[in-house]
Amino acid sequence: MPGTGVLFALAVGSGVIAAVRSTWSPCGQSMLSSITPVAEAGRGHRFGSTATFFMIGALLGGAVVGAVCAALAAGLAVVDPPVGPRLALIALGALAGVLVDAGFTPWRTPFLRRQVNEDWLSAYRPWFYGGGFGFQIGTGVMTYVMSTAVPLTLAFAVLTASPRRALVVCIAFAAVRGSAILLTARCRSFADLQGFHRRFERWREPARRATIASLGLVSALAAVAAWASLPAGVALAAVAMLAVVFARPADLGTDPALAARPAPSARSQRAPVPAGPAGGSGSIDRIRAPLIEVVT
């Protein structure tokens, strides 16, 4: 049925939106400052290997969550609800996501304010911390949830009523989420990392508003498909555009990634030093503090 194809496309699109927005989470920023060519060289490791383990872990995380969604989708397939009501649920769910992400409800993002344990960087081997961090990131539900697009993606995956498609939606999210680790692949010095984080931080609010607009587009397209009504789609799109324009800006109280951060110590501001023969990391494991200070 054409409607099921539209539903699947909207679910995948929501997953991509969620993954991109999640890159600006505290956890995403941590990965982009803690697992870099500079940091890995300082620990005596190869960035390419660690990044590979990270992406593999992310895919595994997406597959685990995808298996759960696939099981629920299989149960929904037994009931076999018409595709129209399922598309309507997507339209209404995405609209609710627009309102929440724009700050117009009592429920404010982010949800699940949990970070990965950065002590792993100095305690374990690259395959473990790379894969472990990637797994948590890839699930989408074990660290900071920066947008309603994340839970909506999981709900939309179930609404496909197809185990295979539900699995694909979750793995697509994990693939995009995990590949973000490559953003710093060309940073070869501390100055490169500082410049990258300056540029990255400037895109925080535009990315947030683009996410709101994208959820609005998902809502509008789902409405047109569900009710065969172009005016309904236009109305929902208009609501989303108003939400983008009048969205409450992220501030210290609503976005912990911008919350007060400890000032870097003298030791943390030292230039990174190469690892010793035993693989010690010198001050490189504290690289995140001065990088964060640069963009505040």
Side-chain angles (χ1 to χ4, degrees):
M1 294 175 61
T4 58
V6 172
L7 194 155
F8 176 58
L10 292 174
V12 173
S14 178
V16 173
I17 294 166
V20 172
R21 173 68 182 106
S22 297
T23 308
W24 277 267
S25 71
C27 211
Q29 285 188 305
S30 178
M31 295 301 95
L32 292 177
S33 53
S34 300
I35 300 181
T36 67
V38 179
E40 288 306 291
R43 298 183 191 106
H45 306 147
R46 291 184 300 172
F47 171 74
S49 297
T50 306
T52 299
F53 289 128
F54 183 92
M55 290 186 288
I56 291 173
L59 291 174
L60 289 175
V64 168
V65 173
V68 175
C69 290
L72 295 174
L76 185 63
V78 173
V79 180
D80 193 24
V83 69
R86 285 184 278 151
L87 284 166
L89 285 175
I90 287 181
L92 296 176
L95 178 61
V98 166
L99 299 177
V100 173
D101 281 15
F104 296 148
T105 70
W107 303 280
R108 304 292 297 274
T109 55
F111 309 119
L112 188 62
R113 303 187 179 197
R114 177 186 177 275
Q115 266 276 30
V116 296
N117 187 349
E118 291 189 18
D119 290 340
W120 287 16
L121 292 168
S122 56
Y124 300 112
R125 295 181 181 276
W127 70 265
F128 188 89
Y129 66 73
F133 288 167
F135 181 89
Q136 295 175 68
I137 292 288
T139 65
V141 294
M142 294 183 70
T143 59
Y144 279 88
V145 176
M146 298 300 293
S147 169
T148 53
V150 175
L152 286 174
T153 293
L154 303 183
F156 296 169
V158 174
L159 286 174
T160 62
S162 165
R164 178 176 59 84
R165 288 183 170 183
L167 185 62
V168 169
V169 169
C170 295
I171 290 180
F173 164 84
V176 176
R177 188 74 180 88
S179 64
I181 198 69
L182 300 177
L183 289 174
T184 61
R186 294 187 177 182
C187 295
R188 301 300 177 187
S189 68
F190 188 72
D192 289 344
L193 287 173
Q194 287 181 320
F196 167 80
H197 279 274
R198 286 194 190 98
R199 296 188 298 272
F200 185 78
E201 187 65 23
R202 293 191 194 107
W203 283 96
R204 171 183 296 282
E205 187 60 18
R208 174 174 169 264
R209 292 178 185 262
T211 299
I212 297 170
S214 298
L215 284 175
L217 178 60
V218 169
S219 179
L221 292 175
V224 172
W227 299 306
S229 171
L230 183 59
V234 171
L236 291 179
V239 170
M241 291 306 102
L242 289 173
V244 171
V245 173
F246 296 105
R248 296 180 181 178
D251 56 28
L252 298 183
T254 60
D255 191 341
L258 299 177
R261 294 156 176 163
S265 64
R267 180 186 176 192
S268 69
Q269 296 188 72
R270 293 208 310 264
V273 297
S281 59
S283 63
I284 195 68
D285 282 337
R286 297 178 177 270
I287 192 172
R288 185 174 175 239
L291 286 176
I292 289 177
E293 184 68 14
V294 161
V295 298
T296 51

